[in-house]
DNA sequence: GTCTATACGACGATAGAC
DNA sequence: GTCTATCGTCGTATAGAC
């Protein structure tokens, strides 16, 4: 039986909207995508859609959150490892979604932007998680600790975001190469 | 004496528009900036402004090109070095302009976007220039050549773009730290 | 070539009825 | 919870003055 309670239908519709929005952005990109298109895909009028979200940017923030959550689950299913190849493949299957992420991250610099809270929480959390993983790998002697784990986490996250930007204009670029290069450098490092 | 020729005034106005647009984006960010505001700042009607550009995105592309050109001149004046600290400081004085760059880079993934040509030329040129610089430093023994110069250039450019994205939501982060960390790794490398 | 006036369609957002 | 109707603003297009 489905979940009970007064918000049952609303929550289902909410999820349907987010799924539809994700599909449209994946197919048509960030530009040229309107709320009316998303509404039509859900058999809803524009105000009908706006009943579920405060604004367009609020909706997009939820799309990003849902995507982050899905990525997190996938990563746990993989055993909690931070394999660059798999993470890049999962996160960048379509240019439209990469464009969405990058554009939102840029706009979220403004503290009044709905996604500001999302990103100012996301980055520290990711740094923490990745940093902890790296610390374990350092203690196990798998990689050099010549760069402190927290700082290496900042570096790797920047690398991941930045290589996506280059990939958007040149799809032939190998997004895993910089990670491999850097990791080999850390494996050849002084201490074991 | 000012430059002669039939397009003298037009070119001056063009430059004035680009300067005004840059100011407005720096002050008010990418969102909330309209062509009508830029036109008003130049004492122009909206179609008067559009006389100089094909579209909004065409104008923004020119803003980016002018900024790239200015950065290039500054770098030559500095003696052609690629000091990460100075480049980061010059390129990121205001969040609004970083936001403009990132948003345009994201949108330019679409080959039909006016800025597509700009970015698909800019990245290879930057890789080439930075790669050549790195090659010289490797041959001079200043840094390790364990990562080929061309690949190290891709990595460093990704690092520069990516760290800006983190900086947008957390202005307190040190944008030069990752470069220092990476460079120390390359200096401690095996061969001299 | 430079520029203004006017108008168009689409957008995100809101008010209020059912 | 969902609708119709409407608002103000956006980027864009055209006609035409100087």
């Amino acid at each position: 039986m489905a979940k009970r309670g007064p918000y049952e239908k609303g929550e289902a519709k909410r999820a349907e909207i987010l799924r539809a929005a994700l599909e449209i952005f994946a197919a048509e990109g960030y530009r040229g995508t309107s709320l009316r298109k998303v509404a039509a895909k859900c058999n809803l009028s524009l105000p009908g859609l706006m009943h579920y979200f405060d604004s367009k940017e609020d909706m997009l923030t939820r799309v990003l959150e849902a995507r982050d959550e899905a990525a997190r689950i996938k990563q746990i299913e993989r055993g909690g490892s931070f394999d660059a190849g798999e993470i890049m493949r999962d996160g960048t299957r379509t240019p439209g979604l990469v464009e969405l992420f990058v554009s939102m991250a840029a706009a979220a610099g403004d503290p009044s932007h709905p996604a500001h809270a999302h990103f100012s929480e996301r980055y520290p959390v990711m740094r923490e998680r990745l940093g902890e993983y790296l610390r374990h790998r350092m203690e196990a002697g798998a990689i050099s600790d010549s760069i402190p784990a927290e700082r290496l986490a900042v570096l790797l996250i920047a690398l991941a975001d930045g290589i996506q930007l280059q990939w958007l204009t040149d799809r032939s670029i190998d997004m895993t190469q910089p990670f491999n290069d850097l990791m080999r450098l850390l494996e050849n490092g002084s201490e074991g």
Side-chain angles (χ1 to χ4, degrees), chain A:
Chain A
M1 298 284 274
K3 184 187 165 192
R4 291 274 162 268
Y7 304 121
E8 177 187 353
K9 185 184 177 186
E11 287 305 312
K13 197 76 182 171
R14 219 185 184 82
E16 181 192 342
I17 293 170
L18 292 179
R19 210 178 317 116
L22 196 84
E23 274 179 44
I24 293 186
F25 276 96
E28 309 190 23
Y30 186 69
R31 306 175 313 148
T33 299
S34 69
L35 292 179
R36 280 173 175 87
K37 280 188 194 170
V38 178
K41 186 151 189 159
C42 303
N43 297 109
L44 229 49
S45 69
L46 175 62
L49 188 149
M50 294 305 289
H51 168 72
Y52 294 95
F53 304 96
D54 295 338
S55 67
K56 180 187 188 182
E57 308 201 296
D58 174 50
M59 187 195 79
L60 295 180
T61 306
R62 309 307 172 97
V63 171
L64 243 39
E65 283 171 358
R67 199 165 164 70
D68 251 31
E69 178 65 13
R72 174 82 181 133
I73 289 171
K74 257 201 127 171
Q75 196 236 4
I76 289 174
E77 283 173 355
R78 279 200 307 264
S81 87
F82 284 85
D83 179 76
E86 296 188 55
I87 288 175
M88 293 311 249
R89 251 186 302 283
D90 287 349
T92 63
R93 212 155 22 242
T94 74
L97 297 180
V98 176
E99 191 190 341
L100 172 62
F101 168 80
V102 170
S103 298
M104 291 288 283
D110 182 348
S112 72
H113 191 285
H116 182 75
H118 170 67
F119 281 99
S120 28
E121 201 167 337
R122 181 190 134 99
Y123 274 125
V125 166
M126 284 187 57
R127 278 179 220 138
E128 177 102 13
R129 285 207 200 112
L130 181 53
E132 194 181 356
Y133 172 78
L134 292 169
R135 201 170 302 115
H136 288 149
R137 297 253 300 159
M138 287 175 184
E139 285 166 2
I143 57 173
S144 159
D145 62 355
S146 57
I147 299 177
E150 316 86 51
R151 298 218 302 257
L152 183 56
V154 173
L155 199 160
L156 285 169
I157 293 169
L159 201 52
D161 289 346
I163 200 69
Q164 289 186 48
L165 226 53
Q166 289 186 56
W167 173 80
L168 278 174
T169 51
D170 179 7
R171 303 288 155 76
S172 74
I173 210 172
D174 180 357
M175 287 199 285
T176 65
Q177 181 77 68
F179 291 98
N180 295 336
D181 286 339
L182 182 59
M183 285 313 174
R184 185 164 317 126
L185 215 58
L186 287 168
E187 286 159 7
N188 289 346
S190 39
E191 51 277 292

